[in-house]
């Protein structure tokens, strides 16, 4: 099981690198269906990044918040949410 999730994670990261955010988001969702706390919130953070890139801003905010709840104090997760909220407030996104 763990090996399958690691393979999905590798695939999701590769898809993000090549810009296929829609398919990457599906892979992150598959991981989260099995383990909602994957890598201490990192899967939620990555899914949030995909959602933000795809213009799914409410979903992105929800996943950043979930990442923070799973990995409290992780500055990467906090910065992701703050950046999204700041961009929305300024009308940049």
């Amino acid at each position: 099981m763990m090996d399958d999730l690691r393979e999905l994670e590798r695939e999701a990261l590769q898809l993000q690198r090549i810009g296929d955010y829609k398919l990457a988001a599906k892979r992150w969702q598959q991981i989260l269906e099995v383990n909602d706390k994957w890598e201490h919130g990192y899967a939620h953070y990555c899914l949030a990044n995909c959602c933000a890139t795809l213009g799914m801003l409410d979903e992105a905010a929800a996943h950043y918040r979930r990442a923070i709840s799973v990995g409290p104090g992780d500055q990467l997760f906090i910065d992701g949410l703050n950046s999204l909220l700041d961009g929305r407030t300024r009308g940049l996104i």
Side-chain angles (χ1 to χ4, degrees):
M1 177 67 74
M2 184 69 89
D3 288 340
D4 293 340
L5 294 178
R6 290 267 177 235
E7 182 56 37
L8 282 173
E9 180 183 48
R10 281 190 286 278
E11 185 178 342
L13 289 168
Q14 178 61 26
L15 288 164
Q16 280 184 261
R17 278 192 282 280
I18 64 172
D20 191 343
Y21 296 100
K22 187 174 183 180
L23 189 52
K26 287 182 183 179
R27 295 298 177 259
W28 291 119
Q29 288 170 332
Q30 287 175 309
I31 291 168
L32 292 168
E33 286 172 8
V34 176
N35 183 342
D36 185 58
K37 296 180 180 180
W38 182 255
E39 291 299 317
H40 311 286
Y42 187 69
H44 280 286
Y45 170 79
C46 290
L47 179 53
N49 288 338
C50 290
C51 289
T53 300
L54 294 168
M56 301 163 55
L57 304 182
D58 291 336
E59 293 89 342
H63 285 288
Y64 283 130
R65 287 185 177 102
R66 181 65 181 139
I68 292 167
S69 74
V70 172
D74 190 312
Q75 197 60 48
L76 183 66
F77 304 162
I78 294 165
D79 290 347
L81 178 60
N82 287 340
S83 179
L84 176 71
L85 296 176
D86 185 56
R88 288 178 102 175
T89 299
R90 294 173 183 246
L92 302 175
I93 54 175

